């Protein structure tokens, strides 16, 4: 039997760290990290699937930070995740992943996110919708 390999975005290896967070409105969070080879495609740039995973996980921290019993306390589930890739992010690049809460209703939430190089150039823009899965909301 072959052992399964778990795919990850390697938060420790890429030195992922919280840069800032504000409760808002609008609530915002910003993270810094360095793109490492394990996160890249064969051309040496951040893999699109890895970028989507980063946006999914890091924008979801806003949901968890703003949750309360019966209101996204389980984190919800992704309903839609849309990314637009504007420019490549080469291995070794220091990036900022920023997310902002656009709307957080009883059953649905919408976040906006960007992946930027430290110089401010935008590489990826994203929208992330989540559905509340707490029993009281279903």
């Amino acid at each position: 039997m072959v052992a399964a390999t778990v795919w990850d975005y390697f938060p420790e290896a890429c030195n992922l760290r919280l840069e800032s967070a504000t409760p808002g409105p609008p609530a915002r969070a910003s993270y810094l990290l360095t793109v490492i080879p394990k996160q890249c495609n064969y051309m040496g740039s951040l893999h699109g699937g890895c970028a989507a995973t980063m946006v999914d996980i890091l924008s979801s921290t806003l949901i968890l930070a703003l949750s309360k019993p019966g209101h996204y306390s389980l984190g919800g589930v992704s309903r839609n995740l849309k990314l637009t890739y504007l420019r490549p992010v080469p291995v070794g690049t220091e990036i900022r992943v920023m997310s902002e809460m656009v709307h957080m209703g009883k059953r649905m939430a919408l976040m906006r996110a960007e992946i930027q190089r430290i110089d401010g150039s935008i590489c990826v823009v994203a929208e992330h919708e989540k559905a509340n899965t707490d029993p009281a909301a279903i």
Side-chain angles (χ1 to χ4, degrees), residues 69-86:
H71 194 247
Y72 298 93
S73 63
L74 300 175
V77 294
S78 294
R79 179 174 179 232
N80 188 27
L81 183 61
K82 178 187 174 195
L83 279 76
T84 302
Y85 304 93
L86 303 173

Side-chain angles (χ1 to χ4, degrees), residues 68-125:
K68 54 188 176 196
H71 194 247
Y72 298 93
S73 63
L74 300 175
V77 294
S78 294
R79 179 174 179 232
N80 188 27
L81 183 61
K82 178 187 174 195
L83 279 76
T84 302
Y85 304 93
L86 303 173
R87 56 179 53 92
V89 184
V91 67
T93 304
E94 182 83 6
I95 60 173
R96 175 177 288 117
V97 181
M98 299 175 20
S99 57
E100 175 182 282
M101 184 64 67
V102 175
H103 171 77
M104 189 171 179
K106 182 178 177 184
R107 292 188 177 92
M108 299 291 184
L110 173 63
M111 286 127 340
R112 191 175 317 155
E114 289 182 357
I115 297 178
Q116 302 177 350
R117 294 182 187 155
I118 293 302
D119 68 7
S121 57
I122 299 171
C123 301
V124 179
V125 293

Side-chain angles (χ1 to χ4, degrees), residues 11-78:
E12 290 151 359
C14 68
N15 193 25
L16 175 67
R17 59 215 181 272
L18 177 67
E19 179 182 37
S20 67
T22 58
R28 292 187 174 120
S30 176
Y31 296 87
L32 297 172
L33 63 110
T34 302
V35 176
I36 59 173
K38 289 180 178 181
Q39 299 167 327
C40 292
N41 57 29
Y42 69 93
M43 295 185 302
S45 295
L46 180 64
H47 189 282
C50 190
T53 300
M54 288 177 184
V55 167
D56 183 5
I57 292 170
L58 297 177
S59 65
S60 293
T61 62
L62 288 175
I63 290 279
L64 293 170
L66 298 169
S67 70
K68 54 188 176 196
H71 194 247
Y72 298 93
S73 63
L74 300 175
V77 294
S78 294

